[in-house]
Amino acid sequence: MTAKSMLRQFVPPVVWSLASRAKRGARTPPPREDAQVKSLRDAIPGWLNAGNVRAFDRCIAAMPEGAVIEIGCYAGLSANAILHFLQKHGRRAALFSADPWVIEGPAEPAGSGLGEAEWLGRRRAYIRDTYERATRLHSAARLPHHFEVSSDAFFADWRAGAVRTDFFGREARLGGPIAFAYIDGDHSRDQVWKDFTHVDRHLAKGGFVLFDDSGFHPLDGAAQSAARAAAMPAYRIVAKAPHYCLQKTG
Ligand SMILES: C[S@@+](CC[C@H](N)C(=O)[O-])C[C@H]1O[C@@H](n2cnc3c(N)ncnc32)[C@H](O)[C@@H]1O
């Protein structure tokens, strides 16, 4: 008789079955990441949360007609993931984005001899170039309409229906309904709220908004603004995995 079968004689069947089920659950591996997103992660620097990737997939599949907006692109990891899901779900929506590449830190490496200003300037150029190269490589067939401006300036243009030349040198008219917005720019409470209120003005009924870094600590700026948005009667929480993903219902 094995130790396991001996033990089983003394454990009530209900407890045994619950314990086995919990053990099986603990062994269930997390869902495998989309292969294309994995290859983007291997090539582009960034901090893209796996829960956000699942939210992109879900929101882009279910969103109404309208544009997709990204505030804060850094080196293009999330932008290229969003473009991948637009392709995967056969959605024709264009991605519009804003990032003036306000790059802070990390500190100049010891002994670089560049000086703080030169180091930051070179680092900014590196991130900006990486965004361009990554996007031209991974999303050549559907480049986003990116604008190298702050989100405030971007939304002013959106509201005005302005025609502007984008980062890739193409003319585009901004404005119209938004179907999905990913807010990942300046993470301060006030700016995240401002970005949300701008999105809210144009978000179509049934549209989605995802707040990056809103699910780590309730006192974080993004968390406070996302929770405030989630409390609005026109919104419901679709997921908090861990970050807030909301749908506009009214
Ligand atoms: C966390 S990174 C974005 C990461 C990117 N979404 C990704 O996952 O690959 C934040 C970005 O927000 C940008 N940013 C900061 N303030 C901004 C503002 N007011 N408007 C637009 N972008 C801003 C920064 O330049 C930076 O590239």
Side-chain angles (χ1 to χ4, degrees), residues 108 114-123:
E108 180 191 3
L114 293 172
E116 197 65 25
E118 178 66 17
W119 153 254
L120 280 178
R122 287 196 193 189
R123 191 171 154 79

Side-chain angles (χ1 to χ4, degrees), residues 10 15 31 41 58-59 64-65 69 76 79 90 100 118 125 127 139 151 155 162 167 175 182 184 189 195 228-229 242:
F10 299 102
V15 176
R41 274 193 202 286
R58 182 172 175 188
C59 295
E65 291 299 306
I69 304 288
E118 178 66 17
I127 298 300
S139 305
S151 53
F155 284 118
F167 179 80
Y182 180 46
D184 189 15
R189 186 193 59 189
D195 289 345
R228 186 175 167 195

Side-chain angles (χ1 to χ4, degrees):
M1 188 178 262
T2 64
K4 189 176 171 187
S5 53
M6 268 174 67
L7 182 65
R8 190 161 189 175
Q9 289 184 339
F10 299 102
V11 177
V14 178
V15 176
W16 184 268
S17 136
L18 285 174
S20 319
R21 220 177 290 167
K23 202 170 163 197
R24 272 200 307 276
R27 270 201 234 113
T28 307
R32 203 184 282 277
E33 185 155 72
D34 178 288
Q36 180 60 22
V37 174
K38 183 174 178 322
S39 103
L40 294 173
R41 274 193 202 286
D42 290 345
I44 312 173
W47 310 263
L48 187 54
N49 182 278
N52 287 1
V53 174
R54 288 194 289 278
F56 292 165
D57 197 357
R58 182 172 175 188
C59 295
I60 288 170
M63 69 186 189
E65 291 299 306
V68 175
I69 304 288
E70 177 177 52
I71 301 305
C73 307
Y74 196 63
L77 177 56
S78 51
N80 283 282
I82 289 170
L83 290 163
H84 159 64
F85 286 114
L86 285 168
Q87 191 69 21
K88 173 181 163 185
H89 293 297
R91 306 301 305 248
R92 290 196 340 208
L95 172 62
F96 287 78
S97 55
D99 192 329
W101 287 296
V102 191
I103 305 299
E104 295 154 354
E108 180 191 3
S112 86
L114 293 172
E116 197 65 25
E118 178 66 17
W119 153 254
L120 280 178
R122 287 196 193 189
R123 191 171 154 79
R124 179 184 181 279
Y126 172 78
I127 298 300
R128 184 180 182 277
D129 289 354
T130 305
Y131 168 85
E132 176 169 8
R133 294 175 66 131
T135 307
R136 286 194 188 279
L137 174 66
H138 294 282
S139 305
R142 59 186 308 162
L143 291 174
H145 292 302
H146 179 73
F147 297 92
E148 198 172 346
V149 296
S150 71
S151 53
D152 287 347
F154 172 83
F155 284 118
D157 282 346
W158 195 269
R159 203 169 179 179
V163 175
R164 295 275 182 258
T165 302
D166 72 19
F167 179 80
F168 297 100
R170 299 158 310 156
E171 262 200 0
R173 181 181 293 283
L174 289 82
I178 294 174
F180 171 49
Y182 180 46
I183 299 180
D184 189 15
D186 176 337
H187 282 37
S188 66
R189 186 193 59 189
D190 291 351
Q191 189 61 50
V192 172
W193 182 251
K194 229 170 163 188
D195 289 345
F196 167 72
T197 55
H198 284 132
V199 167
D200 176 49
R201 189 172 292 130
H202 304 280
L203 193 64
K205 187 175 172 190
F208 299 92
V209 54
L210 174 63
F211 298 78
D212 189 44
D213 290 342
S214 60
F216 291 136
H217 192 285
L219 291 182
D220 287 344
Q224 291 189 48
S225 292
R228 186 175 167 195
M232 289 167 68
Y235 284 87
R236 75 177 184 99
I237 299 176
V238 172
K240 209 170 162 291
H243 305 312
Y244 280 87
C245 180
L246 308 183
Q247 184 176 35
K248 192 172 191 176
T249 54

